[in-house]
Amino acid sequence: MPFPLASLTPPTLSKWQMSYRGVAFGGIVQGATYQLQGFPEGLDTPDYISGDAQRALDQGEFEGVDLSPGRNVTIKQVIQAASDEALDHARQTLGSALGPATAAQPLYLCLASGTFACMAKPRKHKAPAELLTAFAKANEANTLFHATDPRWYAMPTKTATVALPAPPGGVTFPLTFNVSFGGGSFGALVTVENNGNFEMRPRLIVTGPCTTPTITNLSIPGAPSLSFNISLASGDTLAIDTDFQTVVYTPVGTSGGASRRGTLVFGSTWFNLPPGMNALEFTSADTTQVTGTLTVESADAYIAL
């Protein structure tokens, strides 16, 4: 997943402190067990991979697309403790949290402007015992994280929910909309704001009942939409990850889902959320009033902090 789930609560951290797998480290608090030796590297824009190609038997190049690869984050810190036993425990605790990971986990970082996260794996962690360990009850530690997504995301993850409106011709006055305000919504429209400086790919969760749910980003030229040829019963969910372009159907009362990527209607276009306000429209093919809802999970995305 490109950014932390909305169900995850970010840890409370001090400025320049970081957290991974429930262990907080780094920071610039005097006397703390884990103390930064230098500011983390890898907060700025990653080097671009150029798509330029040399012209055959000619001067110059054909212009290509420049894209960002993944991101490396390097952390240098000192582990210190009041006793040899406490130092051993602190080294072991950090080493356990920064061991091999089967899947990317949120790496949280607290700055003066807020808490941010990237989904990362530890690729290298070294905290060798040395003379400093024996005589000063301290240990240097160097850690390298890698995130396949170059974005940093402002925390916490945001959610916005909207319900299907009454079909045309079936409304009565005065109008009453069954709407939950997250990022702001009206009828079948939900507004989601990306306050960052880089596009991001949201998660879309449709909850039944509804038939042929369609989500359209009205704020992008051409109004790209995603439509799915599927009927959802009450409580069924269709989880759409616009980054990995997966579609997972989970029937009500079950915990396991199955791919329904094949229900994507021909002509659908995967879209993102560029910086600024995005108006998403949620519609269905139902001709009578149904209570299906759309929930959008998103986070402000930054290519550099």
Side-chain angles (χ1 to χ4, degrees), residues 172-188:
T172 57
F173 292 90
L175 294 176
T176 301
F177 293 99
N178 180 19
V179 173
S180 172
F181 288 89
S185 52
F186 181 76

Side-chain angles (χ1 to χ4, degrees), residues 56-151:
L57 303 177
D58 196 1
Q59 308 299 326
E61 299 172 317
F62 292 107
E63 184 178 2
V65 178
D66 292 345
L67 299 172
S68 292
R71 174 184 298 280
N72 286 329
V73 180
T74 303
I75 302 163
K76 298 179 181 180
Q77 58 184 321
V78 172
I79 309 170
Q80 53 191 7
S83 67
D84 293 334
E85 292 79 7
L87 180 60
D88 284 348
H89 178 71
R91 292 173 63 234
Q92 293 159 8
T93 298
L94 188 63
S96 176
L98 302 183
T102 57
Q105 301 290 327
L107 172 63
Y108 295 101
L109 167 66
C110 180
L111 299 179
S113 55
T115 298
F116 300 84
C118 65
M119 300 298 291
K121 289 182 181 180
R123 286 288 167 84
K124 185 184 297 184
H125 176 68
K126 300 293 183 182
E130 50 194 356
L131 288 177
L132 191 65
T133 307
F135 294 102
K137 298 181 179 60
N139 213 137
E140 293 185 351
N142 296 313
T143 307
L144 172 68
F145 286 93
H146 181 73
T148 56
D149 181 354
R151 301 167 184 80

Side-chain angles (χ1 to χ4, degrees), residues 116 152 154 158 183 192-200 273-278 298-302:
F116 300 84
W152 284 98
K158 301 183 290 187
V192 182
E193 189 167 10
N194 177 3
N195 292 306
N197 56 26
F198 203 71
E199 58 88 6
M200 64 85 54
L273 302 182
M277 192 68 71
N278 291 265
S298 67
D300 304 332
Y302 297 82

Side-chain angles (χ1 to χ4, degrees), residues 149-227:
D149 181 354
R151 301 167 184 80
W152 284 98
Y153 296 95
M155 292 289 100
T157 296
K158 301 183 290 187
T159 62
T161 301
V162 66
L164 284 167
V171 298
T172 57
F173 292 90
L175 294 176
T176 301
F177 293 99
N178 180 19
V179 173
S180 172
F181 288 89
S185 52
F186 181 76
L189 293 179
V190 57
T191 57
V192 182
E193 189 167 10
N194 177 3
N195 292 306
N197 56 26
F198 203 71
E199 58 88 6
M200 64 85 54
R201 292 87 184 272
R203 282 191 291 268
L204 310 170
I205 300 98
V206 178
T207 303
C210 64
T211 303
T212 316
T214 300
I215 304 104
T216 305
N217 191 337
L218 300 176
S219 301
I220 295 180
S225 65
L226 295 169
S227 186

